[in-house]
Amino acid sequence: MTPSSRTSVGTELLRRRVPHIAGAYLAAGWILLEFTDWVVNRWVLSGHITDFVVFLWLFMVPAVLLLAWTHGAPGRDRWTRVDFIGVSLNLLAAAGFMIVMFGGRDLGAATSSVTVETEDGSTVQRTVPKSEYVRRVGLFAFRNDSDDPELDWLQFGLPWSMHVDLEQDSWVLPVIGFAEELGGEGLDRPVHLPLARQRDIARDRFLGHLVVGTLERRDDELVVTTRLHDVESGRVMEERVLSGVDPLDLADRLAAQLRQDLGLPSGHIARSPDLPVSELLSDSLVAVRAFFQAQHAQDRDARANLRLLGAATGTDSTFAMAQALLGEAYIAANRPEDAYAAYGAALRHEYRLSERLRYEVKGRYYQLTRQPEKALRVARLRTELYPEDPTAWDILGVVLAARGDNEGAIEAFEEGLALDPSAYGRVQALGQFYANNGQIENARRTFQGYADRYPDRLLPMRSLGNLYLQMGEFDTAADYFERALLLDPRDFASLVALADIAERSADFAAARDYYDQAISASGNDERMWHVGGRLVGYFDLQGMTDSAIARLEAVAGYLGSTSGRLMELQQRVNAIALYPRAGERRRALAFLDSLRAELEPPLTFFVPVAEALLYREIGDGRAVEAAVPQARQAYREFGLTALDWIMIHLSGEAKRLQGDCSAAVPLYEEAAGAMQAGSHGAIDVLLGGNPWLGLGMCYRRLGQYGDAEAALRRVLGLLPADARSRYELALVYRDAGRGDEALRHLRGAVHVWRNADPDRAEAAAANALLAEWEGGG
């Protein structure tokens, strides 16, 4: 194009006023866009409306330019076919593009209204955000870059305080307390993870953003630098530096700034609750510091946790969050009356709790005070008020599962998983409840979907391995765990699972080797003692009761020091049958007497449970029958009806021990039907039996050898190393006249018990019978 032709085109554009019209269109569009953005933020409308206006504005530029060229010159003109076709094509293209881009998107309000009923029957109307507008953000421990150890507590204290502040906002889902950060030196020192590891963790949790920070001292002020990262790209979206004297005021300002940096609508921010953190915690920094130190001590040092929470509430009795956690610490310490008092104080000062936490505290209080219906109502209420909070659905699922409502639990965890598909615990829970409900294929599909999404990660491999382990398909299960070990040869969970498979298969040498490897890979006391707990069953299965008791005493002592006296007693109650198996009947009865003297209502429900387990092992059917109704009633009062099958099973045991197998069989069958299907592969040898073992014993006594064989083979399919079932099956075959099979299973029982203690009665009886049979042969 020559200079003269370019000049003529420019002149013609000016004559036709194309630049003027285009400029006016762009200016008017910009004003419209700014107005739309203001309206969207002011009245909390869908953010897609702004995008819709932007695309429509830009997409119509060709039509505006065409009309400016054809109609912009001075004087009258007419519409031509070119105008009509050009504008029509532009409109059609714009309409098609907008339908593709926005056809499935909500262009209305960004919120919806819900009306819910509270636990006392009153109704509440609330506006809640739609799912796509909830910001999910991870808050990691800050790093103390100063030389002042007095600031160490703020490494957890500041992000936790921000978490408390942000929980007031239904548009923000803050996540904190990543286990990977724990285990540092002392109560205030977390393990600081590299940014790449933090990003991986946040991606695994499907969080959109993560916040990291540093703190230091300059003169008399605390200076905090935070960085908001986009999880997908890892880039820094915003960096903020704030300073001040009061850490809680800094947390307020940090949280307020974060809400803006996350792009929350200004209209929502202006109208949403935003109490200062000091109003939700305490005005006393001394109390707040003790509280956060207690958070870190929880499940690590029971005495320190109780002492620090006592210090926090002693400094400020209105510190409702600390009062609630103190209530939990008192329950763990077997001090229920003190726990009720602490929870009562928390509820009296519930104005210091965010609404989400208020419902959590109420739900727990109703559980402790044996009001399960109110606990369920509160759990439902929280999901209705916070339908986009996956934790609310998790809590509802757990409450429903405790009541034996697997269908309801599945629906709840499906809702939570749809909101946050990442958390392994949620995936595991949903798959487990499918398995509990007998929906094995749905459980497999749930885990497989997770494995397909993350083919190179350990969690889906473990999930599928655990499912096949529960089903008794040991080879397939072992394959998954071995594949996990290829990715990480020190994967603790896979080593423990392979030990479990070897133990169930009676390969005790291999099992012990895997347990030793797991201890080496444990990395912390909690994991190491978890292996110690597994060794209790490992030794008991072989009849090595003295060794099992030694491990029990060690594990119970550890639990008492880290989690409290109640966890210690619970561990001992579950394994109370070990003592009479070792010939220490008096020791078991003395422990039972100490339970009666030590426990206070409502924790006294442990007493009839312990009585039933102990007297069943001793063989006193009448005493078992007397204890079961009290234990069963206690389970129901606490809303733990999912455990009812245990009491039904013990009722069957009571009838069998009294010689009434005709009455015992329907009870065993009822217990087997009520037992969670996903628990079939986790038969607890310490409880001294299961419904199918009892059925096998009674069917043999009733002469129904085929039914006895089927019941006992059910046990051995899931636990081939169960010598008791092998011994009983040998007696079935003997009575049925199938001597060769009887001898084979009796030898199998003796092989499992080959290292049994001399005073283990069952093992001694099996050895004597084998000697008799072989001697007579």
Side-chain angles (χ1 to χ4, degrees):
M1 182 180 291
T2 64
S4 60
S5 62
R6 285 198 296 268
T7 302
S8 62
V9 170
T11 301
E12 187 63 17
L13 286 171
L14 289 173
R15 188 185 75 80
R16 293 173 182 262
R17 295 181 287 194
V18 172
H20 309 75
I21 295 171
Y25 175 77
L26 293 176
W30 186 259
I31 293 171
L32 175 62
L33 178 60
E34 289 293 318
F35 176 75
T36 302
D37 191 55
W38 178 81
V39 169
V40 165
N41 278 279
R42 176 68 178 79
W43 280 286
V44 196
L45 303 177
S46 168
H48 299 308
I49 295 175
T50 304
D51 295 337
F52 183 90
V53 171
V54 169
F55 281 111
L56 185 61
W57 172 44
L58 295 176
F59 225 93
M60 293 308 297
V61 167
V64 171
L65 293 177
L66 174 63
L67 292 176
W69 177 264
T70 57
H71 298 279
R76 298 184 62 183
D77 50 32
R78 294 182 178 181
W79 272 72
T80 66
R81 180 176 295 179
V82 172
D83 298 337
F84 179 78
I85 293 174
V87 172
S88 297
L89 287 174
N90 196 169
L91 285 172
L92 287 172
F97 179 81
M98 302 304 274
I99 289 172
V100 171
M101 285 291 294
F102 297 98
R105 301 194 180 185
D106 186 357
L107 297 178
T111 59
S112 59
S113 295
V114 296
T115 301
V116 298
E117 184 177 332
T118 66
E119 73 274 16
D120 59 8
S122 59
T123 58
V124 176
Q125 189 166 18
R126 190 63 52 83
T127 300
V128 297
K130 295 176 181 176
S131 176
E132 61 182 300
Y133 301 111
V134 175
R135 274 63 164 181
R136 295 174 171 83
V137 56
L139 301 169
F140 286 83
F142 290 2
R143 191 177 67 246
N144 181 9
D145 283 349
S146 74
D147 295 326
D148 186 357
E150 289 297 308
L151 300 182
D152 281 348
W153 72 276
L154 292 174
Q155 296 181 101
F156 277 122
L158 278 174
W160 266 102
S161 298
M162 290 175 64
H163 177 271
V164 170
D165 191 308
L166 292 168
E167 270 205 324
Q168 300 175 83
D169 195 328
S170 59
W171 283 62
V172 182
L173 181 62
V175 179
I176 200 168
F178 297 103
E180 291 85 351
E181 294 184 322
L182 303 179
E185 299 175 5
L187 294 177
D188 306 321
R189 288 193 166 276
V191 174
H192 292 293
L193 305 173
L195 178 61
R197 179 65 183 136
Q198 291 171 332
R199 176 173 171 266
D200 285 344
I201 293 170
R203 286 182 68 233
D204 285 349
R205 298 290 299 273
F206 276 50
L207 304 178
H209 309 85
L210 67 90
V211 174
V212 297
T214 60
L215 54 103
E216 54 187 314
R217 177 82 72 184
R218 293 180 190 167
D219 299 325
D220 293 331
E221 287 193 323
L222 181 67
V223 180
V224 180
T225 303
T226 62
R227 289 175 297 281
L228 173 65
H229 290 264
D230 175 76
V231 167
E232 196 57 39
S233 65
R235 68 182 178 86
V236 177
M237 299 173 60
E238 296 289 350
E239 181 172 318
R240 303 292 180 185
V241 181
L242 285 82
S243 60
V245 176
D246 183 354
L248 297 185
D249 177 63
L250 271 174
D252 276 325
R253 292 159 56 196
L254 288 167
Q257 185 63 62
L258 180 59
R259 294 169 79 200
Q260 295 182 27
D261 293 341
L262 289 171
L264 270 60
S266 58
H268 161 72
I269 291 176
R271 292 191 291 272
S272 64
D274 188 19
L275 290 173
V277 173
S278 59
E279 290 297 319
L280 298 171
L281 296 173
S282 170
D283 298 319
S284 167
L285 273 183
V286 173
V288 171
R289 176 174 180 166
F291 171 76
F292 286 126
Q293 288 178 319
Q295 289 282 85
H296 198 268
Q298 188 175 3
D299 293 329
R300 289 170 181 78
D301 189 334
R303 289 184 179 178
N305 181 48
L306 188 58
R307 173 177 53 79
L308 289 164
L309 289 171
T313 56
T315 304
D316 181 0
S317 62
T318 70
F319 195 164
M321 194 179 299
Q323 292 281 16
L325 290 181
L326 180 61
E328 290 299 312
Y330 277 136
I331 286 290
N334 184 31
R335 296 167 60 179
E337 290 302 320
D338 291 329
Y340 294 152
Y343 263 102
L347 293 176
R348 282 197 306 276
H349 303 292
E350 66 175 21
Y351 56 85
R352 277 193 177 272
L353 298 171
S354 66
E355 187 175 58
R356 294 189 214 201
L357 191 55
R358 196 174 301 172
Y359 288 118
E360 195 166 324
V361 170
K362 282 185 177 181
R364 180 59 175 155
Y365 175 75
Y366 289 136
Q367 285 179 329
L368 292 176
T369 54
R370 292 172 286 182
Q371 302 180 70
E373 293 303 322
K374 283 191 174 183
L376 175 60
R377 207 174 308 161
V378 167
R380 289 194 186 281
L381 177 61
R382 182 172 174 180
T383 63
E384 292 165 349
L385 291 176
Y386 295 97
E388 310 308 328
D389 182 356
T391 303
W393 292 102
D394 292 347
I395 292 172
L396 177 60
V398 169
V399 172
L400 290 170
R403 298 166 63 91
D405 184 358
N406 286 321
E407 291 287 351
I410 287 169
E411 291 178 8
F413 277 101
E414 282 178 339
E415 289 284 350
L417 195 60
L419 294 170
D420 177 10
S422 59
Y424 168 68
R426 192 168 295 120
V427 173
Q428 182 67 33
L430 178 59
Q432 187 61 57
F433 288 127
Y434 272 133
N436 287 348
N437 213 37
Q439 301 177 32
I440 301 299
E441 181 55 31
N442 283 345
R444 191 199 63 78
R445 188 163 50 247
T446 297
F447 296 142
Q448 190 63 56
Y450 199 75
D452 292 342
R453 185 179 293 120
Y454 304 114
D456 59 343
R457 299 189 187 181
L458 299 175
L459 297 182
M461 294 182 193
R462 292 191 204 134
S463 299
L464 286 162
N466 283 321
L467 178 64
Y468 286 110
L469 176 56
Q470 290 178 23
M471 296 163 59
E473 299 183 23
F474 299 139
D475 291 341
T476 306
D479 181 59
Y480 278 106
F481 293 119
E482 286 166 355
R483 285 163 58 188
L485 288 176
L486 290 176
L487 295 177
D488 181 1
R490 293 177 59 81
D491 180 44
F492 175 81
S494 294
L495 290 168
V496 171
L498 286 169
D500 191 7
I501 292 171
E503 180 182 319
R504 288 167 180 269
S505 304
D507 189 350
F508 297 113
R512 188 57 190 266
D513 181 57
Y514 279 124
Y515 280 134
D516 289 342
Q517 291 182 56
I519 291 173
S520 175
S522 60
N524 59 51
D525 288 345
E526 184 178 359
R527 284 182 166 183
M528 184 178 68
W529 283 102
H530 173 74
V531 175
R534 298 298 293 261
L535 288 173
V536 176
Y538 167 84
F539 285 119
D540 182 54
L541 195 61
Q542 300 176 72
M544 302 168 68
T545 319
D546 291 340
S547 297
I549 290 175
R551 290 302 188 286
L552 168 67
E553 294 294 338
V555 171
Y558 168 76
L559 289 174
S561 65
T562 57
S563 300
R565 177 64 171 165
L566 190 64
M567 287 296 292
E568 177 183 353
L569 293 176
Q570 183 175 350
Q571 181 77 11
R572 294 181 187 279
V573 166
N574 288 342
I576 194 172
L578 288 176
Y579 297 109
R581 288 179 199 170
E584 298 189 35
R585 178 172 174 173
R586 290 183 179 178
R587 188 174 176 185
L589 291 171
F591 171 62
L592 197 55
D593 288 338
S594 70
L595 274 183
R596 295 188 183 105
E598 184 175 350
L599 292 174
E600 301 176 21
L603 302 180
T604 47
F605 83 92
F606 279 110
V607 173
V609 173
E611 288 176 340
L613 295 175
L614 175 58
Y615 291 133
R616 186 266 303 278
E617 189 66 28
I618 292 173
D620 188 341
R622 291 186 181 278
V624 174
E625 195 166 36
V628 163
Q630 301 174 57
R632 193 172 189 180
Q633 180 61 28
Y635 277 144
R636 291 177 175 176
E637 287 178 357
F638 280 100
L640 301 175
T641 48
L643 299 178
D644 210 33
W645 73 269
I646 297 175
M647 295 300 113
I648 301 171
H649 170 220
L650 289 171
S651 296
E653 294 281 81
K655 293 297 184 184
R656 177 181 64 82
L657 290 171
Q658 294 177 74
D660 190 356
C661 271
S662 296
V665 164
L667 289 169
Y668 286 134
E669 290 176 339
E670 184 184 354
M675 186 180 181
Q676 303 287 313
S679 302
H680 292 174
I683 296 170
D684 189 344
V685 295
L686 298 180
L687 292 180
N690 56 76
W692 295 285
L693 176 57
L695 277 172
M697 291 178 172
C698 272
Y699 279 136
R700 180 177 71 85
R701 293 180 186 177
L702 294 172
Q704 298 174 232
Y705 303 128
D707 291 333
E709 178 186 7
L712 293 168
R713 285 196 174 277
R714 177 69 180 269
V715 181
L716 293 173
L718 298 171
L719 188 59
D722 185 6
R724 296 164 306 169
S725 295
R726 288 204 177 275
Y727 177 66
E728 187 63 32
L729 188 57
L731 299 181
V732 170
Y733 286 138
R734 178 201 63 185
D735 294 351
R738 298 160 65 178
D740 290 344
E741 291 174 275
L743 184 60
R744 178 166 59 85
H745 282 283
L746 182 58
R747 284 172 174 164
V750 169
H751 178 72
V752 171
W753 278 328
R754 62 189 180 276
N755 296 317
D757 297 335
D759 55 357
R760 183 67 180 257
E762 296 164 312
N767 276 297
L769 186 60
L770 181 61
E772 177 188 334
W773 287 2
E774 289 181 335

